[in-house]
């Protein structure tokens, strides 16, 4: 991808990129990608900036795959907050379609921050946006979450005091749940927020939370509407059931959402 692929739209340098097959996009096959929606003037892109956009496009399938659990959890929370729920609870794919992509002029560890904006019928006023650093979800919220530079800058500069960086990301019990009709997940973000969930035949139950590590090997989780609970943990490679390939995993002495072992997936 080079400079000639972009045009200035009085907002940012913009191009259009195809979406991976199967991506929820409300019938779209391509969407606009904006470079530096904030924090940059209109002079042409340089080689480093076009390389940043190329990285985002090349890695788009992995980025979209990584954000799905967070979008699903966010939609579940929006649905439960709906004062007048009607009918069957739709899936995240039913609720959202990608409408725009953003690449920010800021990076951490050489990896750019990428925003994904969605249509969201559950919140037509605010929409839905996700900010990622690589395959790590930084934040999920209204559509502007995808394009606000200060959110990316805050994460890039965050010293993450009081947090175990090895815990940051998305964790799932599925690789260790062979034959179990229930699974648990949790996601811990670098700003000390996150969510956990339990899914079974009756539905998915999502809890928003905050987290910290008061001492090495201890995770404290505090639900938005409850008391804090502390869990001793150990992080080490483990082999999922039916696989000889070890994966990054965390094991808790006291269960988190009814499970003791989780594999990292983002």
């Amino acid at each position: 991808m080079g400079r000639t692929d972009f045009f200035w739209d009085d907002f940012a340098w913009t191009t259009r990129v195809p979406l991976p097959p199967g991506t929820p996009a409300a019938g779209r096959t391509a969407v606009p990608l904006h470079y530096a929606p904030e924090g940059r003037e209109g002079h042409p892109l340089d080689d480093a900036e076009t390389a940043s956009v190329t990285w985002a496009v090349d890695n788009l399938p992995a980025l979209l795959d990584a954000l799905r659990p967070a979008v699903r959890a966010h939609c579940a929370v929006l649905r439960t907050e709906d004062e007048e729920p009607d009918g069957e609870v739709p899936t995240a794919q039913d609720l959202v379609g990608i409408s725009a992509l953003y690449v920010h002029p800021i990076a951490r560890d050489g990896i750019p921050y990428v925003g994904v904006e969605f249509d969201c019928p559950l919140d037509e006023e605010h929409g839905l946006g996700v900010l990622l650093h690589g395959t790590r979800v930084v934040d999920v919220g209204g559509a502007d979450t995808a394009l606000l530079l200060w959110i990316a800058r805050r994460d890039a500069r965050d010293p993450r005091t009081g947090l175990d960086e090895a815990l940051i990301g998305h964790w799932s019990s599925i690789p260790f749940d062979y034959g179990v009709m229930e699974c648990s997940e949790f996601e811990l973000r670098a700003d000390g927020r996150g969510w956990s969930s339990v899914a079974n035949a009756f539905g998915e139950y999502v809890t928003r939370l905050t987290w910290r590590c008061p001492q090495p090997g201890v995770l404290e989780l505090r639900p938005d509407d409850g008391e804090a609970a502390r869990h001793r943990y150990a992080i080490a490679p483990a082999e999922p059931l039916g696989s000889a390939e070890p994966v990054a995993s965390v094991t808790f002495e006291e269960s988190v959402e009814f499970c003791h072992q989780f594999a990292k997936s983002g």
Side-chain angles (χ1 to χ4, degrees):
M1 181 168 288
R3 298 182 185 88
T4 57
D5 295 311
F6 293 84
F7 63 92
W8 178 252
D9 65 359
D10 295 325
F11 168 64
W13 284 101
T14 299
T15 187
R16 291 188 66 82
V17 298
L19 291 170
T23 302
R28 305 179 184 95
T29 58
V31 294
L33 182 151
H34 308 285
Y35 180 79
E38 291 188 324
R40 191 183 185 283
E41 297 178 352
H43 53 277
L45 303 183
D46 60 29
D47 290 343
E49 291 171 326
T50 56
S52 182
V53 175
T54 299
W55 182 94
V57 173
D58 288 346
N59 289 277
L60 188 56
L63 301 184
L64 297 181
D65 188 57
L67 62 74
R68 285 183 182 127
V71 169
R72 189 186 71 245
H74 184 80
C75 288
V77 171
L78 287 179
R79 187 64 184 178
T80 59
E81 291 175 347
D82 189 345
E83 293 182 357
E84 298 180 358
D86 53 342
E88 183 178 349
V89 177
T91 65
Q93 186 159 332
D94 296 326
L95 292 169
V96 297
I98 295 172
S99 57
L101 302 168
Y102 304 90
V103 179
H104 292 276
I106 190 170
R108 181 170 182 148
D109 301 326
I111 299 174
Y113 287 80
V114 178
V116 184
E117 183 179 343
F118 296 86
D119 304 312
C120 185
L122 276 183
D123 192 348
E124 294 182 348
E125 179 181 356
H126 301 101
L128 192 157
V130 181
L131 181 67
L132 298 121
H133 177 244
T135 56
R136 174 176 61 86
V137 173
V138 175
D139 202 359
V140 181
D144 59 358
T145 301
L147 61 89
L148 291 174
L149 181 62
W150 70 264
I151 302 177
R153 182 177 287 129
R154 179 187 62 186
D155 186 84
R157 296 175 178 175
D158 189 354
R160 299 173 182 171
T161 304
L163 305 179
D164 181 350
E165 291 198 39
L167 286 172
I168 295 172
H170 177 259
W171 300 84
S172 172
S173 70
I174 292 175
F176 305 106
D177 283 344
Y178 182 76
V180 177
M181 300 300 291
E182 187 172 73
C183 69
S184 300
E185 296 176 272
F186 67 91
E187 185 171 284
L188 305 180
R189 298 178 185 152
D191 63 358
R193 294 180 298 152
W195 57 269
S196 65
S197 73
V198 177
N200 53 38
F202 300 101
E204 181 175 22
Y205 309 90
V206 178
T207 301
R208 286 175 168 164
L209 52 83
T210 57
W211 72 284
R212 68 187 186 102
C213 295
Q215 62 191 71
V218 176
L219 170 64
E220 181 179 284
L221 299 175
R222 182 183 297 274
D224 283 357
D225 58 354
E227 297 182 356
R230 293 188 175 185
H231 307 265
R232 293 190 176 277
Y233 67 90
I235 296 176
E239 293 182 4
L241 294 168
S243 174
E245 294 294 327
V247 297
S249 70
V250 60
T251 303
F252 295 97
E253 290 184 7
E254 306 84 12
S255 65
V256 173
E257 296 292 15
F258 308 105
C259 289
H260 289 268
Q261 193 168 26
F262 297 80
K264 194 169 190 180
S265 61

